[in-house]
Amino acid sequence: MKINLRLDVRLSDAKNIIMWLENKDVTKYLNEDPNSASSLEEIINSGRADLLTYYLNRDARFFLIDTHEEKCVGFITLRTKAVKEYEIIIAIGNPNNWGKKIAYHSILVILNEVFFKWRINKLISKVHIDNIRSINLFKHLGFKETTIKNNHIIFTITFDEYLSYLKNN
C-alpha cells in the first residue's frame, strides 16, 4: 500500500480532522485535548487557514496520512519525550478505513523516517488497554510491551529492535 505522510494542512483537511475529533468511535482511545476540534474551528472561522499547519505542529510533529486512493485519511503525531525519543499517536479518521492496514503501513513509513533520517533512539506508544486493534498493531510491528500505567500499555521500539524486525519480516 502506498502511503504518503505530509506536513501541510489545508482547509479541507482541517474540516476532516474536526469531523474525526467529534466522532466518539474515533476518539474513544485518543488522549487528545477535548478542545482540539473547537480550536481548529476557531482558526478556520478567523479566516487564518494558513495557520493550520503551524497550529498542529506547535507542540509536536504532525503528519497527515494520504493513501494512493484517498487524501487525508488520518494523522500521526510525534511528541518529544526525551532526547532522541518520541511518542507516536496515530488515528485513522474514517471508520470505513479501519482494518485496511493503513495504520500499519503509515507506522512503517514513520519508523523509517525517524530511525534512518532523524536518527532517534526510541519510539514510544501509549495504547489504552481496551484498544485491542492498536495493541495487536504495535506488537505486530515489533514494539515491545514495557509497562502498564494508568490503563495504558506502554510499547517501545529501539533502532536495534526495528532493524531486527526488518530482518525478520
PDB file of all heavy atoms in Angstrom, residues 6-9 51-63 76 78:
ATOM      1  N   ARG A   6       2.346  13.836   4.997  1.00  0.00           N
ATOM      2  CA  ARG A   6       2.624  15.223   4.634  1.00  0.00           C
ATOM      3  C   ARG A   6       2.390  16.149   5.817  1.00  0.00           C
ATOM      4  O   ARG A   6       1.578  15.879   6.710  1.00  0.00           O
ATOM      5  CB  ARG A   6       1.820  15.653   3.428  1.00  0.00           C
ATOM      6  CG  ARG A   6       0.330  15.646   3.617  1.00  0.00           C
ATOM      7  CD  ARG A   6      -0.376  16.049   2.308  1.00  0.00           C
ATOM      8  NE  ARG A   6      -1.775  15.682   2.360  1.00  0.00           N
ATOM      9  CZ  ARG A   6      -2.735  16.503   2.775  1.00  0.00           C
ATOM     10  NH1 ARG A   6      -2.454  17.727   3.170  1.00  0.00           N
ATOM     11  NH2 ARG A   6      -3.989  16.091   2.794  1.00  0.00           N
ATOM     12  N   LEU A   7       3.113  17.260   5.791  1.00  0.00           N
ATOM     13  CA  LEU A   7       3.052  18.234   6.870  1.00  0.00           C
ATOM     14  C   LEU A   7       2.023  19.335   6.616  1.00  0.00           C
ATOM     15  O   LEU A   7       1.454  19.871   7.560  1.00  0.00           O
ATOM     16  CB  LEU A   7       4.426  18.884   7.072  1.00  0.00           C
ATOM     17  CG  LEU A   7       5.532  17.952   7.557  1.00  0.00           C
ATOM     18  CD1 LEU A   7       6.881  18.640   7.486  1.00  0.00           C
ATOM     19  CD2 LEU A   7       5.247  17.504   8.987  1.00  0.00           C
ATOM     20  N   ASP A   8       1.817  19.697   5.364  1.00  0.00           N
ATOM     21  CA  ASP A   8       0.927  20.824   5.068  1.00  0.00           C
ATOM     22  C   ASP A   8      -0.534  20.447   5.293  1.00  0.00           C
ATOM     23  O   ASP A   8      -0.990  19.407   4.854  1.00  0.00           O
ATOM     24  CB  ASP A   8       1.138  21.346   3.650  1.00  0.00           C
ATOM     25  CG  ASP A   8       0.824  20.305   2.596  1.00  0.00           C
ATOM     26  OD1 ASP A   8       1.353  19.192   2.705  1.00  0.00           O
ATOM     27  OD2 ASP A   8       0.032  20.605   1.670  1.00  0.00           O
ATOM     28  N   VAL A   9      -1.231  21.305   6.010  1.00  0.00           N
ATOM     29  CA  VAL A   9      -2.632  21.067   6.365  1.00  0.00           C
ATOM     30  C   VAL A   9      -3.490  22.108   5.651  1.00  0.00           C
ATOM     31  O   VAL A   9      -3.324  23.304   5.856  1.00  0.00           O
ATOM     32  CB  VAL A   9      -2.848  21.158   7.893  1.00  0.00           C
ATOM     33  CG1 VAL A   9      -4.297  20.893   8.245  1.00  0.00           C
ATOM     34  CG2 VAL A   9      -1.915  20.201   8.619  1.00  0.00           C
ATOM     35  N   LEU A  51      -2.650  29.253   9.019  1.00  0.00           N
ATOM     36  CA  LEU A  51      -2.007  28.928  10.298  1.00  0.00           C
ATOM     37  C   LEU A  51      -2.242  27.484  10.760  1.00  0.00           C
ATOM     38  O   LEU A  51      -1.720  27.074  11.784  1.00  0.00           O
ATOM     39  CB  LEU A  51      -2.502  29.878  11.390  1.00  0.00           C
ATOM     40  CG  LEU A  51      -2.134  31.345  11.226  1.00  0.00           C
ATOM     41  CD1 LEU A  51      -2.756  32.165  12.342  1.00  0.00           C
ATOM     42  CD2 LEU A  51      -0.628  31.524  11.191  1.00  0.00           C
ATOM     43  N   LEU A  52      -3.018  26.718  10.009  1.00  0.00           N
ATOM     44  CA  LEU A  52      -3.360  25.358  10.433  1.00  0.00           C
ATOM     45  C   LEU A  52      -2.130  24.475  10.605  1.00  0.00           C
ATOM     46  O   LEU A  52      -2.007  23.777  11.614  1.00  0.00           O
ATOM     47  CB  LEU A  52      -4.344  24.723   9.445  1.00  0.00           C
ATOM     48  CG  LEU A  52      -5.742  25.309   9.457  1.00  0.00           C
ATOM     49  CD1 LEU A  52      -6.530  24.850   8.245  1.00  0.00           C
ATOM     50  CD2 LEU A  52      -6.458  24.932  10.749  1.00  0.00           C
ATOM     51  N   THR A  53      -1.231  24.497   9.638  1.00  0.00           N
ATOM     52  CA  THR A  53      -0.019  23.670   9.735  1.00  0.00           C
ATOM     53  C   THR A  53       0.789  24.074  10.956  1.00  0.00           C
ATOM     54  O   THR A  53       1.236  23.228  11.729  1.00  0.00           O
ATOM     55  CB  THR A  53       0.824  23.788   8.458  1.00  0.00           C
ATOM     56  OG1 THR A  53       0.042  23.337   7.351  1.00  0.00           O
ATOM     57  CG2 THR A  53       2.091  22.957   8.552  1.00  0.00           C
ATOM     58  N   TYR A  54       0.966  25.373  11.138  1.00  0.00           N
ATOM     59  CA  TYR A  54       1.710  25.865  12.303  1.00  0.00           C
ATOM     60  C   TYR A  54       1.032  25.425  13.607  1.00  0.00           C
ATOM     61  O   TYR A  54       1.685  24.922  14.518  1.00  0.00           O
ATOM     62  CB  TYR A  54       1.813  27.395  12.260  1.00  0.00           C
ATOM     63  CG  TYR A  54       2.378  27.966  13.526  1.00  0.00           C
ATOM     64  CD1 TYR A  54       3.745  27.902  13.796  1.00  0.00           C
ATOM     65  CD2 TYR A  54       1.553  28.531  14.486  1.00  0.00           C
ATOM     66  CE1 TYR A  54       4.259  28.396  14.979  1.00  0.00           C
ATOM     67  CE2 TYR A  54       2.055  29.036  15.671  1.00  0.00           C
ATOM     68  CZ  TYR A  54       3.416  28.967  15.911  1.00  0.00           C
ATOM     69  OH  TYR A  54       3.915  29.440  17.087  1.00  0.00           O
ATOM     70  N   TYR A  55      -0.270  25.604  13.692  1.00  0.00           N
ATOM     71  CA  TYR A  55      -1.009  25.258  14.906  1.00  0.00           C
ATOM     72  C   TYR A  55      -0.846  23.772  15.257  1.00  0.00           C
ATOM     73  O   TYR A  55      -0.581  23.421  16.407  1.00  0.00           O
ATOM     74  CB  TYR A  55      -2.498  25.601  14.732  1.00  0.00           C
ATOM     75  CG  TYR A  55      -3.351  25.109  15.876  1.00  0.00           C
ATOM     76  CD1 TYR A  55      -3.357  25.787  17.090  1.00  0.00           C
ATOM     77  CD2 TYR A  55      -4.117  23.953  15.759  1.00  0.00           C
ATOM     78  CE1 TYR A  55      -4.124  25.324  18.159  1.00  0.00           C
ATOM     79  CE2 TYR A  55      -4.881  23.487  16.817  1.00  0.00           C
ATOM     80  CZ  TYR A  55      -4.877  24.171  18.011  1.00  0.00           C
ATOM     81  OH  TYR A  55      -5.610  23.704  19.069  1.00  0.00           O
ATOM     82  N   LEU A  56      -0.980  22.894  14.276  1.00  0.00           N
ATOM     83  CA  LEU A  56      -0.918  21.451  14.540  1.00  0.00           C
ATOM     84  C   LEU A  56       0.507  20.959  14.796  1.00  0.00           C
ATOM     85  O   LEU A  56       0.696  19.862  15.304  1.00  0.00           O
ATOM     86  CB  LEU A  56      -1.560  20.674  13.395  1.00  0.00           C
ATOM     87  CG  LEU A  56      -3.078  20.846  13.324  1.00  0.00           C
ATOM     88  CD1 LEU A  56      -3.621  20.330  12.002  1.00  0.00           C
ATOM     89  CD2 LEU A  56      -3.758  20.148  14.498  1.00  0.00           C
ATOM     90  N   ASN A  57       1.499  21.770  14.463  1.00  0.00           N
ATOM     91  CA  ASN A  57       2.894  21.398  14.695  1.00  0.00           C
ATOM     92  C   ASN A  57       3.526  22.167  15.858  1.00  0.00           C
ATOM     93  O   ASN A  57       4.727  22.061  16.078  1.00  0.00           O
ATOM     94  CB  ASN A  57       3.719  21.644  13.423  1.00  0.00           C
ATOM     95  CG  ASN A  57       3.538  20.541  12.424  1.00  0.00           C
ATOM     96  OD1 ASN A  57       4.142  19.489  12.534  1.00  0.00           O
ATOM     97  ND2 ASN A  57       2.678  20.770  11.438  1.00  0.00           N
ATOM     98  N   ARG A  58       2.753  22.889  16.628  1.00  0.00           N
ATOM     99  CA  ARG A  58       3.318  23.737  17.675  1.00  0.00           C
ATOM    100  C   ARG A  58       3.935  22.946  18.821  1.00  0.00           C
ATOM    101  O   ARG A  58       4.941  23.366  19.371  1.00  0.00           O
ATOM    102  CB  ARG A  58       2.285  24.732  18.179  1.00  0.00           C
ATOM    103  CG  ARG A  58       1.208  24.116  19.031  1.00  0.00           C
ATOM    104  CD  ARG A  58       0.043  25.047  19.275  1.00  0.00           C
ATOM    105  NE  ARG A  58      -0.932  24.456  20.150  1.00  0.00           N
ATOM    106  CZ  ARG A  58      -1.726  23.443  19.853  1.00  0.00           C
ATOM    107  NH1 ARG A  58      -1.670  22.889  18.670  1.00  0.00           N
ATOM    108  NH2 ARG A  58      -2.580  22.960  20.729  1.00  0.00           N
ATOM    109  N   ASP A  59       3.360  21.825  19.192  1.00  0.00           N
ATOM    110  CA  ASP A  59       3.876  21.042  20.323  1.00  0.00           C
ATOM    111  C   ASP A  59       4.448  19.699  19.896  1.00  0.00           C
ATOM    112  O   ASP A  59       4.883  18.928  20.742  1.00  0.00           O
ATOM    113  CB  ASP A  59       2.757  20.782  21.343  1.00  0.00           C
ATOM    114  CG  ASP A  59       2.244  22.066  21.976  1.00  0.00           C
ATOM    115  OD1 ASP A  59       3.056  22.986  22.181  1.00  0.00           O
ATOM    116  OD2 ASP A  59       1.035  22.148  22.233  1.00  0.00           O
ATOM    117  N   ALA A  60       4.391  19.410  18.609  1.00  0.00           N
ATOM    118  CA  ALA A  60       4.806  18.098  18.118  1.00  0.00           C
ATOM    119  C   ALA A  60       4.964  18.178  16.606  1.00  0.00           C
ATOM    120  O   ALA A  60       4.661  19.195  15.998  1.00  0.00           O
ATOM    121  CB  ALA A  60       3.762  17.046  18.481  1.00  0.00           C
ATOM    122  N   ARG A  61       5.404  17.076  16.012  1.00  0.00           N
ATOM    123  CA  ARG A  61       5.418  16.968  14.549  1.00  0.00           C
ATOM    124  C   ARG A  61       4.119  16.281  14.147  1.00  0.00           C
ATOM    125  O   ARG A  61       3.807  15.191  14.628  1.00  0.00           O
ATOM    126  CB  ARG A  61       6.613  16.138  14.089  1.00  0.00           C
ATOM    127  CG  ARG A  61       7.950  16.769  14.378  1.00  0.00           C
ATOM    128  CD  ARG A  61       8.249  17.989  13.523  1.00  0.00           C
ATOM    129  NE  ARG A  61       8.243  17.733  12.109  1.00  0.00           N
ATOM    130  CZ  ARG A  61       9.306  17.475  11.377  1.00  0.00           C
ATOM    131  NH1 ARG A  61      10.497  17.440  11.926  1.00  0.00           N
ATOM    132  NH2 ARG A  61       9.187  17.243  10.092  1.00  0.00           N
ATOM    133  N   PHE A  62       3.365  16.917  13.284  1.00  0.00           N
ATOM    134  CA  PHE A  62       2.051  16.442  12.892  1.00  0.00           C
ATOM    135  C   PHE A  62       2.076  16.103  11.405  1.00  0.00           C
ATOM    136  O   PHE A  62       2.438  16.947  10.578  1.00  0.00           O
ATOM    137  CB  PHE A  62       0.996  17.519  13.168  1.00  0.00           C
ATOM    138  CG  PHE A  62      -0.404  17.103  12.842  1.00  0.00           C
ATOM    139  CD1 PHE A  62      -1.175  16.436  13.779  1.00  0.00           C
ATOM    140  CD2 PHE A  62      -0.956  17.366  11.596  1.00  0.00           C
ATOM    141  CE1 PHE A  62      -2.478  16.053  13.479  1.00  0.00           C
ATOM    142  CE2 PHE A  62      -2.253  16.989  11.285  1.00  0.00           C
ATOM    143  CZ  PHE A  62      -3.009  16.328  12.233  1.00  0.00           C
ATOM    144  N   PHE A  63       1.695  14.865  11.075  1.00  0.00           N
ATOM    145  CA  PHE A  63       1.673  14.403   9.695  1.00  0.00           C
ATOM    146  C   PHE A  63       0.267  13.946   9.331  1.00  0.00           C
ATOM    147  O   PHE A  63      -0.352  13.203  10.090  1.00  0.00           O
ATOM    148  CB  PHE A  63       2.601  13.196   9.505  1.00  0.00           C
ATOM    149  CG  PHE A  63       4.036  13.459   9.800  1.00  0.00           C
ATOM    150  CD1 PHE A  63       4.535  13.308  11.089  1.00  0.00           C
ATOM    151  CD2 PHE A  63       4.904  13.848   8.787  1.00  0.00           C
ATOM    152  CE1 PHE A  63       5.872  13.537  11.364  1.00  0.00           C
ATOM    153  CE2 PHE A  63       6.245  14.081   9.046  1.00  0.00           C
ATOM    154  CZ  PHE A  63       6.734  13.928  10.341  1.00  0.00           C
ATOM    155  N   ILE A  76      -0.688  11.229  12.087  1.00  0.00           N
ATOM    156  CA  ILE A  76       0.315  10.745  13.037  1.00  0.00           C
ATOM    157  C   ILE A  76       0.904  11.971  13.709  1.00  0.00           C
ATOM    158  O   ILE A  76       1.256  12.943  13.039  1.00  0.00           O
ATOM    159  CB  ILE A  76       1.435   9.946  12.351  1.00  0.00           C
ATOM    160  CG1 ILE A  76       0.904   8.615  11.830  1.00  0.00           C
ATOM    161  CG2 ILE A  76       2.621   9.731  13.299  1.00  0.00           C
ATOM    162  CD1 ILE A  76       1.942   7.768  11.115  1.00  0.00           C
ATOM    163  N   LEU A  78       3.991  13.032  16.431  1.00  0.00           N
ATOM    164  CA  LEU A  78       5.196  12.606  17.143  1.00  0.00           C
ATOM    165  C   LEU A  78       5.529  13.673  18.169  1.00  0.00           C
ATOM    166  O   LEU A  78       5.827  14.817  17.818  1.00  0.00           O
ATOM    167  CB  LEU A  78       6.367  12.421  16.178  1.00  0.00           C
ATOM    168  CG  LEU A  78       6.220  11.309  15.159  1.00  0.00           C
ATOM    169  CD1 LEU A  78       7.371  11.339  14.178  1.00  0.00           C
ATOM    170  CD2 LEU A  78       6.153   9.950  15.847  1.00  0.00           C
TER     171      LEU A  78
END
